[in-house]
Amino acid sequence: MAAGVKLVCLDCGQVNRVPGDRLDARPKCGTCGAGLMEPAVRELDPAVLDKAARTDEVPLVVDFWAPWCGPCRMMAPEFVKAAAALGGRARLAKIDTEAHPRATQGRNIRGIPTLILYRGGREIARQAGAQQSQAIVGWVRNAAGVAA
Protein backbone atom coordinates (compact mmCIF):
# COMPACT_ATOMS: atom_id res chain seq x y z
CA MET A 1 0.00 0.00 0.00
CA ALA A 2 1.27 3.49 -0.88
CA ALA A 3 1.95 6.07 1.82
CA GLY A 4 -1.00 8.18 2.93
CA VAL A 5 -1.51 11.69 1.58
CA LYS A 6 -3.22 14.31 3.75
CA LEU A 7 -6.16 16.16 2.20
CA VAL A 8 -8.58 18.55 3.85
CA CYS A 9 -12.20 18.04 2.84
CA LEU A 10 -13.18 21.26 1.09
CA ASP A 11 -16.77 20.83 2.32
CA CYS A 12 -16.44 20.06 6.06
CA GLY A 13 -12.77 20.86 6.77
CA GLN A 14 -11.92 17.39 8.12
CA VAL A 15 -8.36 16.14 7.48
CA ASN A 16 -8.34 12.82 5.61
CA ARG A 17 -5.44 10.48 4.87
CA VAL A 18 -5.74 8.82 1.46
CA PRO A 19 -3.35 6.15 0.14
CA GLY A 20 -1.28 7.77 -2.61
CA ASP A 21 -2.19 5.06 -5.09
CA ARG A 22 -5.93 5.74 -4.50
CA LEU A 23 -5.98 9.44 -5.42
CA ASP A 24 -7.29 8.62 -8.92
CA ALA A 25 -10.08 6.45 -7.46
CA ARG A 26 -12.18 9.46 -6.42
CA PRO A 27 -11.70 9.16 -2.64
CA LYS A 28 -14.40 10.51 -0.34
CA CYS A 29 -14.25 12.29 3.01
CA GLY A 30 -14.56 9.90 5.93
CA THR A 31 -16.74 12.39 7.79
CA CYS A 32 -19.19 13.90 5.29
CA GLY A 33 -18.74 11.73 2.18
CA ALA A 34 -17.84 14.61 -0.15
CA GLY A 35 -15.39 13.90 -2.97
CA LEU A 36 -11.80 14.82 -2.12
CA MET A 37 -10.25 14.76 -5.62
CA GLU A 38 -13.11 15.81 -7.86
CA PRO A 39 -12.13 17.33 -11.24
CA ALA A 40 -14.18 20.44 -10.48
CA VAL A 41 -13.70 23.87 -8.90
CA ARG A 42 -14.82 24.15 -5.28
CA GLU A 43 -15.90 27.31 -3.44
CA LEU A 44 -14.06 27.80 -0.13
CA ASP A 45 -14.60 29.73 3.06
CA PRO A 46 -11.62 31.31 4.90
CA ALA A 47 -11.39 28.65 7.63
CA VAL A 48 -11.23 25.74 5.14
CA LEU A 49 -8.81 27.71 2.95
CA ASP A 50 -6.44 28.27 5.87
CA LYS A 51 -6.59 24.63 6.94
CA ALA A 52 -6.16 23.23 3.41
CA ALA A 53 -3.29 25.62 2.62
CA ARG A 54 -1.48 24.43 5.77
CA THR A 55 -2.27 20.73 5.44
CA ASP A 56 -2.82 19.52 1.86
CA GLU A 57 -0.05 17.38 0.40
CA VAL A 58 -1.59 17.48 -3.08
CA PRO A 59 -1.25 20.77 -5.00
CA LEU A 60 -4.10 23.16 -4.16
CA VAL A 61 -4.70 26.04 -6.57
CA VAL A 62 -6.87 28.84 -5.17
CA ASP A 63 -8.41 31.55 -7.34
CA PHE A 64 -8.95 34.77 -5.36
CA TRP A 65 -11.76 36.55 -7.22
CA ALA A 66 -14.78 38.84 -6.84
CA PRO A 67 -18.14 38.90 -8.65
CA TRP A 68 -17.71 42.52 -9.78
CA CYS A 69 -14.35 41.76 -11.47
CA GLY A 70 -14.66 41.41 -15.27
CA PRO A 71 -11.38 39.49 -15.75
CA CYS A 72 -12.39 37.15 -12.89
CA ARG A 73 -15.71 36.38 -14.60
CA MET A 74 -13.91 35.86 -17.94
CA MET A 75 -11.45 33.42 -16.35
CA ALA A 76 -14.07 31.40 -14.42
CA PRO A 77 -14.92 28.97 -17.27
CA GLU A 78 -11.21 28.59 -18.08
CA PHE A 79 -10.51 27.70 -14.45
CA VAL A 80 -13.24 25.03 -14.64
CA LYS A 81 -11.64 23.60 -17.81
CA ALA A 82 -8.25 23.54 -16.06
CA ALA A 83 -9.75 21.63 -13.11
CA ALA A 84 -11.09 18.99 -15.50
CA ALA A 85 -7.77 18.78 -17.36
CA LEU A 86 -5.76 18.35 -14.15
CA GLY A 87 -8.12 15.65 -12.87
CA GLY A 88 -6.67 13.96 -9.81
CA ARG A 89 -3.28 15.71 -10.05
CA ALA A 90 -4.29 18.95 -8.29
CA ARG A 91 -7.33 20.44 -6.60
CA LEU A 92 -8.73 23.76 -7.80
CA ALA A 93 -10.80 26.02 -5.58
CA LYS A 94 -11.86 29.62 -5.41
CA ILE A 95 -12.68 32.13 -2.75
CA ASP A 96 -14.83 35.22 -3.17
CA THR A 97 -12.76 38.10 -1.79
CA GLU A 98 -15.80 40.37 -1.59
CA ALA A 99 -17.75 37.93 0.60
CA HIS A 100 -14.61 36.94 2.54
CA PRO A 101 -12.24 39.94 2.67
CA ARG A 102 -10.29 38.28 5.51
CA ALA A 103 -9.07 35.67 3.03
CA THR A 104 -6.69 38.19 1.45
CA GLN A 105 -5.16 39.31 4.74
CA GLY A 106 -1.59 38.15 5.15
CA ARG A 107 -1.46 36.86 1.57
CA ASN A 108 -0.21 40.09 -0.04
CA ILE A 109 -2.84 40.02 -2.79
CA ARG A 110 -2.70 43.29 -4.71
CA GLY A 111 -5.11 42.52 -7.55
CA ILE A 112 -7.57 39.93 -8.72
CA PRO A 113 -7.82 37.41 -10.15
CA THR A 114 -4.81 35.95 -8.37
CA LEU A 115 -3.98 32.25 -8.39
CA ILE A 116 -1.95 30.86 -5.49
CA LEU A 117 -0.57 27.33 -5.55
CA TYR A 118 -0.14 25.65 -2.16
CA ARG A 119 1.50 22.34 -1.37
CA GLY A 120 2.73 20.79 1.85
CA GLY A 121 1.76 23.75 4.00
CA ARG A 122 3.31 26.56 1.99
CA GLU A 123 2.76 28.76 -1.03
CA ILE A 124 4.92 27.51 -3.87
CA ALA A 125 3.79 29.77 -6.73
CA ARG A 126 1.58 32.74 -7.54
CA GLN A 127 0.18 34.22 -10.72
CA ALA A 128 -1.94 37.34 -11.21
CA GLY A 129 -4.29 38.14 -14.07
CA ALA A 130 -6.80 36.21 -16.13
CA GLN A 131 -5.42 33.10 -17.85
CA GLN A 132 -6.59 30.59 -20.44
CA SER A 133 -7.07 26.99 -19.24
CA GLN A 134 -3.97 25.71 -21.06
CA ALA A 135 -1.84 28.37 -19.36
CA ILE A 136 -3.26 27.48 -15.94
CA VAL A 137 -2.61 23.76 -16.48
CA GLY A 138 0.92 24.42 -17.74
CA TRP A 139 1.67 26.71 -14.80
CA VAL A 140 0.43 24.12 -12.26
CA ARG A 141 2.36 21.29 -13.93
CA ASN A 142 5.55 23.34 -14.06
CA ALA A 143 5.34 24.92 -10.59
CA ALA A 144 4.18 21.80 -8.73
CA GLY A 145 5.98 19.18 -10.81
CA VAL A 146 2.65 17.54 -11.68
CA ALA A 147 2.83 14.88 -14.39
CA ALA A 148 0.82 15.27 -17.56
Side-chain angles (χ1 to χ4, degrees), residues 17 19 21 34 44 55 59 61-62 78 102 113 120 137 146:
R17 186 171 296 276
D21 60 356
L44 298 180
T55 308
V61 181
V62 181
E78 296 298 313
R102 181 182 82 73
V137 170
V146 173

Side-chain angles (χ1 to χ4, degrees), residues 4-119:
V5 175
K6 287 192 281 186
L7 294 171
V8 171
C9 175
L10 300 180
D11 282 357
C12 72
Q14 180 65 39
V15 178
N16 291 263
R17 186 171 296 276
V18 178
D21 60 356
R22 301 287 299 154
L23 290 174
D24 290 335
R26 294 211 151 155
K28 301 208 177 291
C29 175
T31 300
C32 73
L36 296 172
M37 292 297 297
E38 299 298 312
V41 175
R42 306 294 291 277
E43 189 73 38
L44 298 180
D45 67 41
V48 172
L49 167 63
D50 291 344
K51 192 170 187 179
R54 282 191 322 267
T55 308
D56 272 17
E57 294 176 346
V58 168
L60 172 67
V61 181
V62 181
D63 175 17
F64 292 83
W65 74 287
W68 51 262
C69 170
C72 297
R73 289 193 318 268
M74 279 181 18
M75 190 177 81
E78 296 298 313
F79 199 59
V80 170
K81 289 179 198 172
L86 287 164
R89 309 281 183 262
R91 301 196 307 165
L92 276 66
K94 56 192 323 170
I95 189 156
D96 180 348
T97 60
E98 184 174 16
H100 305 290
R102 181 182 82 73
T104 62
Q105 294 174 350
R107 289 189 169 87
N108 199 25
I109 294 173
R110 303 212 183 268
I112 54 174
T114 294
L115 301 178
I116 298 181
L117 176 56
Y118 297 97
R119 187 178 203 169

